[in-house]
């Protein structure tokens, strides 16, 4: 497998929030296949499918410190940052 996109439409959550949003749950490209446009094509295919299913928005989550260039691809595809999170961790032991 060179690349994969797993998409979801959560009808219950959409109804609660009053939105029609599809979510790209996972997007991955194997290292040897990066920089060939596969992720971008999967994003566009996902958005077309969402639109065909009546969605008006698409969303995805990303690690802002991702070193693969993924965030740049998402922005190039028209996504914008609307929320950020901070995670804390502590080593036990």
């Amino acid at each position: 497998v060179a690349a994969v996109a797993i998409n979801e439409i959560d009808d219950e959550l959409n109804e609660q929030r009053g939105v029609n949003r599809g979510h790209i749950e996972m997007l991955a490209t194997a290292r040897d296949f990066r920089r060939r446009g596969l992720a971008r094509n999967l994003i566009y295919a996902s958005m077309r499918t969402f639109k065909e299913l009546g969605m008006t928005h698409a969303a995805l989550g990303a690690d802002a410190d991702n070193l693969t260039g993924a965030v740049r691809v998402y922005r190039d595809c028209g996504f914008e940052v609307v929320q950020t999170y901070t995670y804390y961790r502590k080593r036990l032991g």
Side-chain angles (χ1 to χ4, degrees), residues 13-56:
L13 185 61
N14 280 346
E15 187 173 330
Q16 289 172 2
R17 294 185 176 173
V19 297
N20 290 315
R21 183 175 333 174
H23 197 270
I24 300 173
E25 289 290 323
M26 184 181 81
L27 181 68
T29 304
R31 182 170 283 126
D32 291 344
F33 292 91
R34 291 183 183 155
R35 303 196 58 81
R36 298 181 188 193
L38 296 175
R40 187 180 313 272
N41 285 326
L42 285 172
I43 290 169
Y44 288 136
S46 297
M47 291 191 294
R48 280 192 303 274
T49 300
F50 290 148
K51 190 170 183 178
E52 290 169 3
L53 294 171
M55 300 299 105
T56 57

